[in-house]
Amino acid sequence: MKSNFLFQRILLIQSEYKNLLSNLNAYFNGNISYEALDEINLFWLRNMEVVKLYLTNEFARKDSYVFTASTFLDFEDSEQYPFLLIGMQHVLDDPLCKYSNICSKMPEEKIAEKLFEQIVKTVKDNLKVLENCNNEIIILPLRLLSQTPENSLLFQMGEKAFSSLFNNINNLKDFFEKCNSFDDVLRYARKDIENIVKFSESDDKTLTFEQRFNQAKEENLYMLEAEISDAHYFFIMVFGNIQQAVDVIVSCVEYECFPFIRYSVVLNYILLLEEVFSDITFISEMRYKMCVANLLYQICEKDRLSKFGFKRFTDIIKVLGFNQMLFKTLAKENIDEKTFVVNEAVPVIEKCLEQLYTALEIN
Amino acid sequence: MHPTKLGDHSFKKGKFTTPINSIPLMSPLEEEKTWTYGRMPEYLWIGLILNKHGRMDGLNKLHHIITKIHEIAPNILVPRLSDILDLESHNQIDIFQFIAQTSSKETLAPLTLIFTLSKEPDFVQCCYCPNMSVESRKKFLIETMEKNMGQHSNEATDIRFIVLYYQLLSGRLHLPKNELDIILKYPTLPHSAEEMRIIRQSVRSIEMMSLQMEKANSSFLKFFWRCISEMTECNPYSIRFPEEENDISKYMDQLYEVLSYLLQLFVNINPLDDKINVIVGIATYSYKRFKEAYDHNLFNTITGRSCVRVLIENYIMLKYLVKNESLHENIWRDYQYYGIGLYKLVLARHRESGENRNAHVDKDYIEALVNEFKGEEFIDMDTRYFDQHNIRLKAESVNEKELYGLYYDYDSSFEHGLWGAIRESSLLKCNNPAHQYHCIPDIDNNNLLKSVLADCVMVMNKMLIFLNDIYTIPSPLFEEVTGFEI
């Protein structure tokens, strides 16, 4: 009997990860547990080569999507439904592996309540995905794989993108030499910077750029050092997002998969960075599939998708071939990676979703 | 220790059995009780302490530590980590805290790579250091393992002394006073002391005495090796013998001249004689195999070994045919039809299978060859050895037993893909103790086998000397070619 040795191992890893998180769950009540985070990190480090082998040979080039640039999926809010609507294979990029390094480098008093809350939420959410999604969503640490020596190259890409927001600033050293206050930032900034930069999901573009900056600073204060300049605040809030976008693009290009991006901030920076990667042919397909995924996420009604349960939902989207149907319908309307416009795609996606809702209700 | 001679083995039904394996009930140590796989992981914590503090200070600290362990857990008979980790929580905490106080918290921290919070919470609580990165923990662990993998290393013997001392302390082991006095000198003397040569041997042999009473903790060992091997990467190294660089173009030219002379003899003197046909045919086949290896520079390859093997087999067969021509009527013709008969068998199988794919066996061509001089209905197919003697017996009968025993058998391993040949040619050694020095496939062809050129020339020249006895090759040519040396 033919068996998929590698996939069986991945399923075993999922099962071991579920047991590990269940066992560690108790340690995430109360104080931060470095030991528990270390164990999660070690778990993924031990399995890293198998994960890479799987991503390269079983996941890549198979219309696969990775849910990334989020701290957790949010199973209770039925976020697994929109994610599974698109693509044939699904990986949830596990952020837990990175917290061990982040926390060990921060003084304990700095690991504020909010970050710890994130970690606890992610552990619990991962567990729910592992327990309830029947391996339709595989949890793997894609972002751990980008911690390679090539990182410096990734950093340079981010630096280049960040510097392109300014005039007469060539690199980060230059930025910190020339900018201290927010006024300095404005002095060197490109004219259209306020249209390009997005500080957070709640960034209100009706406010002035300075007001938006101050609001974002307030929101992120818990993670930032108290005694740094406004230019440094600006750098942390913008460069962090740019670097995340670089990581997403590089991982997706490497494993030829498409990012499922829920938040518009990251989407904004990924689209901004396209120019840096424009010589990679996969990029235009990636942008198209990522935008359709995000649009689908925005439009779909999760209540209607989840109404009849997870099993029925996954069965129906397979029987219906929803993913293929969606892209065929878009193509029929002359929408593809070269012609994609949001306003034209929306009614097509809505039409496909209606068919799916009907199929769910009839069956 | 000298290896046992072949003659000291017992030989029954084709199998050589070593003298030690011939002793009833004698068997090697079970894997789980061997030092490297079964015991070293259990005592790695001792190695970490010795590695951290050096030998003298480390032994001193360990004296206090094992005394404390015995005091806390008198039922533990050997200081195995798995036994300590099986103790009740408060006992574990007392022990690990004492170790942390006596040595430092960092000393056993490398083991938190393997024994993690969900598995061993008490150990982790006492020994985990958030500031020790994964890489640094890995480095300490591998460094200690490297020193202690060999059961006879001084470092491993230090650990084995502590294990032995613990057994004396726990009352599990009793030694006569004179032996005890010798053993107790161990921690006081440096390894460089002459006396230590004997003391180390005593420590190692006595430490093993109680192994029969022990039951290895299989799940602990499996878990340890799985984690440590997954945590580290392979570190392969290849064996590359010098690439063959001798220029043999002159030799090959001379060889060609000899074959050319033989060809002329055959064509011009006796073109219809079966004997010269077979002899020159065999010589030409050997020449062509050699030439292929030369043309494609195959002397350092697996294929090169196949070449030596066939040169030896051809030479032995040639000698055998000549030796037996007076005893075996029509031996030259029978030899040809023995080979053609085997071709016919292949042909028949192809016809009956109905297989029509474009394989390297060309049915039509084979059919033409089988029917070349005699209708195939008159050709039998003998699946036994020619003349019913295998190549070993033939070699013995023509006084070429050494050629067979020293080279042919070795090359046969390559021809049949036996494990010795696979190991030598196609696997690399991984120099990572955490992987138990396993072997990994050499898909990038990093191994380079020892050149076969000298042996090809040696066997080819033997054949030429033999042919010279039969046909007399012109002397300047013969002397030049057979005088060639690598």
Side-chain angles (χ1 to χ4, degrees):
Chain A
M1 195 179 121
K2 196 182 171 200
S3 78
N4 188 330
F5 190 56
L6 182 56
F7 190 62
Q8 292 307 316
R9 184 60 193 263
I10 288 291
L11 293 184
L12 180 69
I13 289 172
Q14 295 298 292
S15 158
E16 287 179 346
Y17 193 44
K18 185 174 74 181
N19 294 339
L20 175 65
L21 293 183
S22 302
N23 291 336
L24 292 179
N25 207 1
Y27 296 97
F28 286 109
N29 292 325
N31 293 329
I32 182 92
S33 171
Y34 293 103
E35 295 89 339
L37 289 175
D38 183 57
E39 184 162 2
I40 292 170
N41 185 37
L42 288 173
F43 176 83
W44 285 125
L45 286 175
R46 274 177 34 213
N47 289 301
M48 192 147 80
E49 293 306 315
V50 179
V51 170
K52 278 188 199 168
L53 202 61
Y54 170 75
L55 290 172
T56 310
N57 295 286
E58 294 283 327
F59 189 66
R61 299 172 299 279
K62 290 183 180 162
D63 209 2
S64 303
Y65 283 74
V66 56
F67 190 100
T68 188
S70 286
T71 47
F72 60 96
L73 176 83
D74 205 345
F75 179 86
E76 286 302 323
D77 198 24
S78 302
E79 293 281 84
Q80 62 279 24
Y81 289 92
F83 178 39
L84 288 172
L85 274 179
I86 194 163
M88 303 307 286
Q89 296 198 63
H90 302 85
V91 158
L92 169 59
D93 184 10
D94 186 14
L96 285 176
C97 55
K98 274 204 168 173
Y99 287 132
S100 165
N101 270 341
I102 294 169
C103 291
S104 67
K105 283 173 189 154
M106 287 169 87
E108 196 160 350
E109 62 274 14
K110 269 274 149 203
I111 305 170
E113 217 174 306
K114 237 176 175 174
L115 180 59
F116 184 55
E117 265 174 32
Q118 292 283 13
I119 294 171
V120 173
K121 269 187 189 168
T122 310
V123 169
K124 295 188 187 310
D125 197 59
N126 275 0
L127 260 174
K128 282 177 190 147
V129 172
L130 289 162
E131 282 163 357
N132 299 295
C133 288
N134 308 330
N135 293 317
E136 296 284 348
I137 297 172
I138 304 286
I139 302 185
L140 297 174
L142 236 78
R143 57 192 87 192
L144 191 67
L145 306 180
S146 61
Q147 286 182 334
T148 55
E150 290 87 3
N151 260 8
S152 58
L153 187 66
L154 302 190
F155 188 85
Q156 282 169 22
M157 287 177 183
E159 186 178 28
K160 194 176 157 193
F162 181 77
S163 307
S164 72
L165 298 173
F166 303 93
N167 298 314
N168 299 323
I169 283 182
N170 300 317
N171 50 43
L172 293 182
K173 192 168 168 266
D174 213 11
F175 173 78
F176 284 111
E177 276 172 6
K178 291 173 178 167
C179 300
N180 188 43
S181 64
F182 188 70
D183 284 343
D184 296 332
V185 172
L186 288 179
R187 190 173 312 122
Y188 287 96
R190 267 164 55 168
K191 272 188 184 163
D192 56 349
I193 194 165
E194 55 193 279
N195 297 327
I196 300 170
V197 167
K198 192 161 182 184
F199 290 114
S200 69
E201 287 302 301
S202 55
D203 196 354
D204 180 357
K205 289 206 174 176
T206 61
L207 301 175
T208 67
F209 194 43
E210 188 166 4
Q211 284 171 325
R212 287 166 54 200
F213 167 73
N214 285 327
Q215 196 179 56
K217 200 171 106 180
E218 282 296 313
E219 284 170 13
N220 290 300
L221 216 52
Y222 75 98
M223 288 207 309
L224 304 171
E225 297 280 342
E227 290 154 14
I228 57 172
S229 67
D230 273 358
H232 203 142
Y233 276 131
F234 180 87
F235 163 76
I236 291 173
M237 288 190 292
V238 176
F239 188 75
N241 285 323
I242 289 179
Q243 204 55 57
Q244 188 173 33
V246 171
D247 280 352
V248 169
I249 295 173
V250 169
S251 301
C252 289
V253 167
E254 183 169 3
Y255 299 112
E256 291 189 50
C257 58
F258 310 113
F260 189 98
I261 305 292
R262 178 165 56 190
Y263 297 121
S264 59
V265 178
V266 187
L267 193 73
N268 176 64
Y269 286 102
I270 293 177
L271 293 171
L272 179 75
L273 280 165
E274 268 173 33
E275 281 176 33
V276 183
F277 297 91
S278 57
D279 53 341
I280 301 171
T281 47
F282 178 69
I283 286 287
S284 62
E285 187 188 356
M286 191 188 92
R287 181 191 54 207
Y288 174 53
K289 295 270 176 91
M290 175 182 72
C291 289
V292 172
N294 182 263
L295 214 49
L296 192 63
Y297 172 74
Q298 309 282 351
I299 297 170
C300 75
E301 295 172 44
K302 282 186 291 186
D303 291 350
R304 293 178 75 183
L305 295 176
S306 60
K307 196 174 170 185
F308 303 98
F310 186 73
K311 173 81 171 62
R312 182 144 151 197
F313 167 77
T314 51
D315 287 348
I316 295 291
I317 54 170
K318 280 174 197 162
V319 170
L320 207 60
F322 182 79
N323 180 58
Q324 297 90 327
M325 181 182 88
L326 175 68
F327 284 98
K328 266 186 194 163
T329 316
L330 284 164
K332 223 181 259 176
E333 300 296 327
N334 293 321
I335 299 170
D336 58 25
E337 56 193 62
K338 289 187 189 110
T339 59
F340 176 77
V341 180
V342 172
N343 291 343
E344 288 175 14
V346 168
V348 182
I349 295 174
E350 280 174 339
K351 198 172 116 192
C352 291
L353 280 169
E354 277 308 326
Q355 286 186 46
L356 175 61
Y357 300 142
T358 310
L360 281 166
E361 279 152 20
I362 290 170
N363 288 286
Chain B
M1 189 175 154
H2 295 291
T4 314
K5 289 181 175 171
L6 272 181
D8 295 332
H9 288 70
S10 66
F11 187 73
K12 277 182 199 160
K13 294 182 180 173
K15 183 183 175 185
F16 285 104
T17 306
T18 67
I20 202 161
N21 283 342
S22 304
I23 302 169
L25 301 176
M26 182 60 129
S27 58
L29 210 55
E30 292 163 46
E31 194 184 20
E32 289 184 341
K33 288 186 177 174
T34 58
W35 171 254
T36 308
Y37 178 80
R39 279 139 64 213
M40 188 272 293
E42 291 276 18
Y43 304 131
L44 195 56
W45 68 273
I46 299 174
L48 285 166
I49 293 173
L50 289 167
N51 206 25
K52 168 97 177 173
H53 300 286
R55 181 168 184 264
M56 289 313 217
D57 199 18
L59 288 174
N60 191 29
K61 285 182 189 300
L62 278 160
H63 175 252
H64 295 299
I65 290 168
I66 59 171
T67 307
K68 186 75 176 176
I69 294 174
H70 178 58
E71 185 188 310
I72 293 171
N75 291 335
I76 286 187
L77 299 174
V78 272
R80 299 192 309 188
L81 184 57
S82 64
D83 289 340
I84 299 173
L85 293 171
D86 277 347
L87 290 171
E88 282 185 28
S89 175
H90 65 96
N91 284 337
Q92 282 191 55
I93 291 171
D94 287 347
I95 289 172
F96 291 125
Q97 276 181 348
F98 186 79
I99 294 175
Q101 283 160 18
T102 312
S103 176
S104 73
K105 202 174 176 182
E106 284 80 19
T107 309
L108 297 192
L111 286 170
T112 60
L113 279 184
I114 297 163
F115 305 104
T116 47
L117 183 66
S118 64
K119 299 267 184 313
E120 303 298 345
D122 301 316
F123 170 71
V124 171
Q125 187 195 320
C126 300
C127 299
Y128 177 73
C129 298
N131 297 331
M132 263 183 107
S133 68
V134 172
E135 282 311 311
S136 69
R137 280 180 276 168
K138 211 191 287 184
K139 181 178 161 280
F140 283 120
L141 211 53
I142 297 297
E143 190 182 285
T144 310
M145 284 178 74
E146 256 167 2
K147 287 181 182 170
N148 294 292
M149 285 294 270
Q151 58 170 329
H152 298 300
S153 73
N154 289 346
E155 290 84 355
T157 311
D158 286 343
I159 296 179
R160 295 172 73 174
F161 168 76
I162 293 294
V163 176
L164 165 62
Y165 191 84
Y166 188 92
Q167 292 183 72
L168 292 167
L169 195 73
S170 67
R172 186 191 201 185
L173 210 63
H174 295 277
L175 294 176
K177 188 174 180 313
N178 57 338
E179 261 187 70
L180 192 63
D181 289 343
I182 293 172
I183 295 295
L184 291 180
K185 278 186 184 176
Y186 183 87
T188 65
L189 295 170
H191 276 299
S192 54
E194 186 59 28
E195 219 179 329
M196 283 293 271
R197 290 164 65 107
I198 295 168
I199 302 178
R200 277 194 299 265
Q201 277 185 13
S202 301
V203 166
R204 291 193 289 258
S205 56
I206 300 171
E207 185 261 325
M208 288 179 72
M209 276 167 54
S210 58
L211 279 182
Q212 294 304 325
M213 296 182 266
E214 265 172 42
K215 190 172 181 322
N217 188 328
S218 301
S219 56
F220 172 89
L221 293 174
K222 277 185 190 132
F223 180 72
F224 174 88
W225 284 113
R226 183 187 160 188
C227 284
I228 193 74
S229 61
E230 286 173 350
M231 280 306 299
T232 55
E233 287 173 8
C234 282
N235 181 16
Y237 70 86
S238 56
I239 300 291
R240 292 183 69 83
F241 281 96
E243 197 161 355
E244 183 55 67
E245 285 177 346
N246 278 300
D247 180 7
I248 58 160
S249 53
K250 198 172 166 208
Y251 177 77
M252 293 308 290
D253 291 345
Q254 290 162 346
L255 203 51
Y256 176 79
E257 291 301 323
V258 173
L259 267 295
S260 180
Y261 174 73
L262 292 173
L263 168 70
Q264 297 301 321
L265 285 185
F266 170 51
V267 173
N268 296 317
I269 296 178
N270 210 348
L272 302 178
D273 180 58
D274 280 324
K275 180 178 176 179
I276 191 167
N277 184 15
V278 168
I279 290 175
V280 177
I282 290 174
T284 305
Y285 186 70
S286 289
Y287 167 73
K288 286 198 71 169
R289 291 296 303 262
F290 192 175
K291 182 85 167 43
E292 275 180 6
Y294 167 70
D295 286 346
H296 302 286
N297 195 18
L298 299 173
F299 297 120
N300 292 96
T301 67
I302 297 168
T303 311
R305 275 139 180 79
S306 171
C307 177
V308 180
R309 184 178 185 266
V310 85
L311 291 185
I312 293 172
E313 189 159 0
N314 280 352
Y315 169 62
I316 290 171
M317 184 57 81
L318 194 57
K319 280 184 88 174
Y320 179 85
L321 292 170
V322 171
K323 186 183 175 187
N324 288 280
E325 67 180 325
S326 58
L327 307 170
H328 182 140
E329 199 183 351
N330 291 329
I331 194 166
W332 304 104
R333 179 152 292 219
D334 286 352
Y335 176 71
Q336 292 175 67
Y337 278 102
Y338 169 77
I340 293 297
L342 292 178
Y343 252 45
K344 182 188 159 184
L345 184 61
V346 173
L347 174 65
R349 286 185 189 134
H350 271 266
R351 280 177 183 150
E352 284 163 31
S353 75
E355 175 71 61
N356 278 322
R357 57 178 286 274
N358 185 23
H360 75 288
V361 182
D362 191 296
K363 202 168 63 180
D364 296 337
Y365 186 41
I366 300 295
E367 185 175 43
L369 294 177
V370 169
N371 291 281
E372 193 175 15
F373 297 110
K374 198 196 252 190
E376 66 176 86
E377 296 309 321
F378 299 98
I379 301 172
D380 293 331
M381 296 168 283
D382 187 351
T383 59
R384 298 163 299 177
Y385 295 109
F386 175 69
D387 237 12
Q388 297 179 40
H389 287 127
N390 63 24
I391 189 71
R392 182 177 60 82
L393 293 172
K394 287 189 176 84
E396 279 173 17
S397 81
V398 297
N399 299 322
E400 294 294 351
K401 195 178 164 186
E402 283 204 345
L403 207 52
Y404 173 85
L406 298 183
Y407 309 109
Y408 182 89
D409 244 5
Y410 165 77
D411 294 326
S412 292
S413 281
F414 285 84
E415 204 65 352
H416 298 305
L418 300 186
W419 194 253
I422 292 171
R423 169 64 191 87
E424 184 184 347
S425 64
S426 306
L427 300 175
L428 299 168
K429 191 76 185 160
C430 167
N431 196 23
N432 181 350
H435 293 187
Q436 297 174 31
Y437 300 116
H438 69 155
C439 295
I440 47 178
D442 176 28
I443 57 167
D444 293 315
N445 204 19
N446 286 313
N447 280 334
L448 202 61
L449 298 172
K450 196 170 179 184
S451 171
V452 296
L453 175 60
D455 293 324
C456 286
V457 171
M458 181 265 288
V459 184
M460 198 71 213
N461 284 353
K462 274 178 176 283
M463 183 179 276
L464 295 184
I465 291 165
F466 187 69
L467 290 171
N468 185 52
D469 287 344
I470 306 170
Y471 296 115
T472 310
I473 299 162
S475 61
L477 183 58
F478 176 71
E479 278 154 22
E480 265 185 283
V481 73
T482 53
F484 185 85
E485 277 178 11
I486 299 294

